């Protein structure tokens, strides 16, 4: 790591964002409106935030990074925008 913010983003933030977006896409494919489906989808939404908080309090091994929380939030907002645009085109 060279101290360059772009390199930092590529090495540490982008993989987290892609992982979270893949998780949301996977859960979106299995979402059918049932109660269990809603619970699992809500858990998928909050999972990375819980993992970061657990890292902060040293409950699980890992390095807490506040930037990861921001990246997860941005990724979730992108997912919501994509989902709304996608569904508006399908109707």
């Amino acid at each position: 790591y060279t101290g360059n913010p772009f390199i930092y983003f590529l090495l540490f933030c982008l993989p987290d964002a892609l992982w979270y977006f893949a998780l949301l896409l996977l859960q979106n494919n299995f979402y059918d409106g049932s109660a269990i489906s809603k619970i699992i989808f809500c858990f998928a939404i909050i999972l990375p935030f819980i993992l970061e908080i657990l890292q902060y309090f040293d409950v699980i091994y890992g390095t807490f990074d506040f930037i990861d929380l921001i990246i997860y939030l941005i990724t979730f907002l992108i997912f919501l925008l994509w989902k709304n645009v996608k569904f508006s085109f399908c109707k």
Side-chain angles (χ1 to χ4, degrees):
Y1 171 63
T2 63
N4 183 328
F6 181 71
I7 300 297
Y8 180 84
F9 175 79
L10 287 178
L11 290 177
F12 302 110
C13 300
L14 185 61
D16 289 341
L18 294 175
W19 167 81
Y20 186 43
F21 198 75
L23 175 66
L24 293 173
L25 288 176
L26 179 69
Q27 293 304 316
N28 188 52
N29 286 335
F30 290 109
Y31 184 79
D32 62 5
S34 67
I36 191 72
S37 178
K38 289 178 184 178
I39 291 169
I40 293 172
F41 192 74
C42 288
F43 183 72
I45 290 171
I46 63 171
L47 178 66
F49 299 98
I50 291 172
L51 292 175
E52 283 295 322
I53 290 169
L54 291 175
Q55 288 174 10
Y56 178 76
F57 289 109
D58 292 325
V59 175
I60 62 172
Y61 179 75
T63 304
F64 171 78
D65 190 358
F66 184 73
I67 296 172
D68 282 346
L69 290 175
I70 295 169
I71 293 298
Y72 293 140
L73 182 61
I74 292 169
T75 303
F76 181 62
L77 293 174
I78 290 170
F79 174 78
L80 287 178
L81 289 172
W82 170 80
K83 186 176 174 183
N84 289 336
V85 170
K86 179 183 176 217
F87 290 144
S88 66
F89 284 121
C90 292
K91 289 182 181 179

